[in-house]
Amino acid sequence: MRLPCPICGERDRREFYYKGAALERPAPDAGEAAWDDYVYLRENPAGDTRELWYHDGGCGAWLVVTRNTLTHAVIGAELASEAKA
Ligand SMILES: [Zn+2]
């Protein structure tokens, strides 16, 4: 699989570290249940997902990669600092 880093261009996925689903972080005072969901509960969708990847072997940027879990097609990537939730 190849990932399109917005800074470096298309690179092999072995240059990246997979962090997990790109979820919106709860507010600091959101409560125990919201934080428990954020840390431990995950959907297992069949289709397009948004994931966090770190370009460890390249520019060091955090990316939000949109990928289809059925076809493994990478639809796009954007810098996490510019991504909308
Ligand atoms: Zn990069």
Side-chain angles (χ1 to χ4, degrees):
M1 181 168 77
R2 296 182 68 80
L3 298 177
C5 176
I7 296 172
C8 306
E10 191 173 286
R11 299 296 180 96
D12 190 274
R13 72 129 192 101
R14 288 174 288 190
E15 292 187 8
F16 296 83
Y17 168 76
Y18 174 73
K19 173 70 168 122
L23 304 173
E24 187 171 350
R25 192 179 178 98
D29 60 349
E32 189 174 315
W35 279 98
D36 187 64
D37 288 354
Y38 174 73
V39 173
Y40 297 110
L41 298 181
R42 295 290 178 269
E43 299 290 328
N44 190 18
D48 291 353
T49 61
R50 290 167 45 89
E51 304 168 332
L52 277 174
W53 291 78
Y54 177 66
H55 198 178
D56 193 32
C59 62
W62 281 97
L63 310 179
V64 174
V65 175
T66 303
R67 186 175 66 86
N68 188 297
T69 57
L70 291 174
T71 64
H72 301 291
V74 176
I75 296 155
E78 57 189 328
L79 295 174
S81 60
E82 298 174 358
K84 304 262 188 312

